[in-house]
mmCIF file of all heavy atoms in Angstrom:
data_model
loop_
_atom_site.group_PDB
_atom_site.id
_atom_site.type_symbol
_atom_site.label_atom_id
_atom_site.label_comp_id
_atom_site.label_asym_id
_atom_site.label_seq_id
_atom_site.Cartn_x
_atom_site.Cartn_y
_atom_site.Cartn_z
ATOM 1 N N THR H 55 13.901 8.880 18.984
ATOM 2 C CA THR H 55 12.567 9.375 18.827
ATOM 3 C C THR H 55 11.640 8.127 18.783
ATOM 4 O O THR H 55 12.000 7.352 17.888
ATOM 5 C CB THR H 55 12.342 10.387 17.589
ATOM 6 O OG1 THR H 55 13.286 11.403 17.700
ATOM 7 C CG2 THR H 55 10.918 10.887 17.480
ATOM 8 N N GLY H 80 2.299 3.543 -3.872
ATOM 9 C CA GLY H 80 2.601 4.667 -3.063
ATOM 10 C C GLY H 80 3.593 5.551 -3.753
ATOM 11 O O GLY H 80 4.375 5.060 -4.573
ATOM 12 N N THR H 83 4.255 12.729 -2.709
ATOM 13 C CA THR H 83 3.658 13.748 -3.555
ATOM 14 C C THR H 83 4.090 15.228 -3.214
ATOM 15 O O THR H 83 4.102 16.053 -4.031
ATOM 16 C CB THR H 83 2.114 13.687 -3.542
ATOM 17 O OG1 THR H 83 1.597 13.826 -2.159
ATOM 18 C CG2 THR H 83 1.690 12.389 -4.089
ATOM 19 N N THR H 84 4.506 15.406 -1.972
ATOM 20 C CA THR H 84 5.035 16.740 -1.572
ATOM 21 C C THR H 84 6.132 16.530 -0.546
ATOM 22 O O THR H 84 6.015 15.507 0.250
ATOM 23 C CB THR H 84 3.994 17.735 -0.958
ATOM 24 O OG1 THR H 84 3.614 17.139 0.382
ATOM 25 C CG2 THR H 84 2.772 17.991 -1.720
ATOM 26 N N VAL H 95 16.461 12.681 0.498
ATOM 27 C CA VAL H 95 16.074 11.376 0.054
ATOM 28 C C VAL H 95 15.025 11.375 -1.029
ATOM 29 O O VAL H 95 14.913 10.590 -1.819
ATOM 30 C CB VAL H 95 15.506 10.610 1.301
ATOM 31 C CG1 VAL H 95 15.131 9.116 0.813
ATOM 32 C CG2 VAL H 95 16.665 10.417 2.414
ATOM 33 N N LEU H 133 27.844 -11.734 4.202
ATOM 34 C CA LEU H 133 28.948 -11.556 3.211
ATOM 35 C C LEU H 133 28.388 -10.731 1.961
ATOM 36 O O LEU H 133 29.069 -9.919 1.415
ATOM 37 C CB LEU H 133 29.581 -12.850 2.768
ATOM 38 C CG LEU H 133 30.375 -13.549 3.905
ATOM 39 C CD1 LEU H 133 30.811 -14.813 3.568
ATOM 40 C CD2 LEU H 133 31.427 -12.567 4.412
ATOM 41 N N LEU H 189 26.832 -2.467 9.896
ATOM 42 C CA LEU H 189 27.608 -1.603 9.096
ATOM 43 C C LEU H 189 28.061 -0.192 9.765
ATOM 44 O O LEU H 189 28.563 0.705 9.061
ATOM 45 C CB LEU H 189 26.952 -1.293 7.682
ATOM 46 C CG LEU H 189 26.919 -2.454 6.744
ATOM 47 C CD1 LEU H 189 26.137 -2.048 5.476
ATOM 48 C CD2 LEU H 189 28.347 -2.895 6.339
ATOM 49 N N LEU H 194 19.314 5.195 12.496
ATOM 50 C CA LEU H 194 18.746 3.878 12.617
ATOM 51 C C LEU H 194 17.180 4.081 12.605
ATOM 52 O O LEU H 194 16.618 4.872 13.319
ATOM 53 C CB LEU H 194 19.190 3.337 13.977
ATOM 54 C CG LEU H 194 19.029 1.861 14.366
ATOM 55 C CD1 LEU H 194 19.743 1.031 13.297
ATOM 56 C CD2 LEU H 194 19.489 1.654 15.738
ATOM 57 N N TYR H 247 -1.722 9.924 14.038
ATOM 58 C CA TYR H 247 -3.022 9.524 13.891
ATOM 59 C C TYR H 247 -3.561 10.023 12.482
ATOM 60 O O TYR H 247 -3.391 11.158 12.144
ATOM 61 C CB TYR H 247 -3.888 10.057 14.962
ATOM 62 C CG TYR H 247 -5.351 9.481 14.938
ATOM 63 C CD1 TYR H 247 -5.651 8.324 15.519
ATOM 64 C CD2 TYR H 247 -6.347 10.195 14.247
ATOM 65 C CE1 TYR H 247 -6.881 7.696 15.580
ATOM 66 C CE2 TYR H 247 -7.665 9.557 14.267
ATOM 67 C CZ TYR H 247 -7.823 8.387 14.858
ATOM 68 O OH TYR H 247 -9.136 7.853 14.806
ATOM 69 N N LYS H 265 -1.329 16.246 26.064
ATOM 70 C CA LYS H 265 -2.282 17.389 25.755
ATOM 71 C C LYS H 265 -3.221 16.922 24.748
ATOM 72 O O LYS H 265 -4.448 17.310 24.941
ATOM 73 C CB LYS H 265 -1.521 18.485 25.134
ATOM 74 C CG LYS H 265 -0.422 19.132 26.035
ATOM 75 C CD LYS H 265 -1.033 19.979 27.100
ATOM 76 C CE LYS H 265 0.011 20.724 27.887
ATOM 77 N NZ LYS H 265 -0.396 21.362 29.067
ATOM 78 N N THR H 329 0.672 23.417 17.010
ATOM 79 C CA THR H 329 0.753 24.669 17.791
ATOM 80 C C THR H 329 1.894 24.473 18.809
ATOM 81 O O THR H 329 1.795 23.473 19.506
ATOM 82 C CB THR H 329 -0.419 25.086 18.384
ATOM 83 O OG1 THR H 329 -1.445 25.127 17.336
ATOM 84 C CG2 THR H 329 -0.411 26.413 19.039
#
Side-chain angles (χ1 to χ4, degrees):
T55 302
T83 57
T84 68
V95 177
L133 294 178
L189 286 179
L194 193 57
Y247 187 84
K265 300 283 189 194
T329 306

